Amino acid sequence: GSPHRRVIISVKSGHLTAPMVRELPGILDREKASIGLLIALEAPSGPMRREAASAGFYESPWGRHPRVQILTIEDLLEGKGIDMPPIRPGGTTFKKAAKVRRNQGEQLTLDEKK
């Protein structure tokens, strides 16, 4: 079949920390995901932004997309979304994935069939 591109979405209800950002690339590799998004209540600090940037990019036919992205609830309310390739209509499913650690928030995955 055709390959799946996956986006892992992690919703953090508490305080976001640099180690949470740092561990996301390993989770992406393990889950065979292309992009990881952390949704947080607060804006990320400089060290968190640097950790996210150090994860590099996912290359797609539509361009380069940061592998680790951080959005706040405020960003989402302002209409900002995930920097990722376009999704084919009908090709998106959400499912619950295993939690990385207890009390760190839910892990959701978005499967894009292409």
Side-chain angles (χ1 to χ4, degrees):
S2 58
H4 291 284
R5 284 192 297 270
R6 304 178 84 194
V7 174
I8 292 184
I9 301 173
S10 180
V11 181
K12 303 297 183 189
S13 57
H15 182 67
L16 186 66
T17 64
M20 291 177 188
V21 180
R22 191 176 308 124
E23 71 186 1
L24 195 51
I27 296 167
L28 297 180
D29 292 341
R30 187 183 72 221
E31 298 293 330
K32 297 179 175 52
S34 304
I35 294 170
L37 171 66
L38 288 170
I39 298 176
L41 292 171
E42 308 167 351
S45 66
M48 290 179 214
R49 290 183 191 279
R50 285 191 289 279
E51 286 288 348
S54 71
F57 292 89
Y58 166 61
E59 304 279 346
S60 83
W62 295 271
R64 296 172 58 170
H65 313 277
R67 282 195 76 214
V68 172
Q69 302 175 32
I70 305 170
L71 289 176
T72 64
I73 300 298
E74 185 177 356
D75 290 335
L76 296 174
L77 291 174
E78 289 176 356
K80 294 179 186 170
I82 308 170
D83 179 352
M84 66 180 189
I87 299 172
R88 195 175 50 150
T92 306
T93 57
F94 284 92
K95 68 179 182 182
K96 208 170 189 180
K99 289 185 180 181
V100 179
R101 269 192 219 138
R102 283 173 308 201
N103 304 325
Q104 264 200 12
E106 292 186 31
Q107 298 289 326
L108 303 173
T109 63
L110 179 149
D111 290 342
E112 179 194 344
K113 299 180 173 82
K114 224 24 197 160

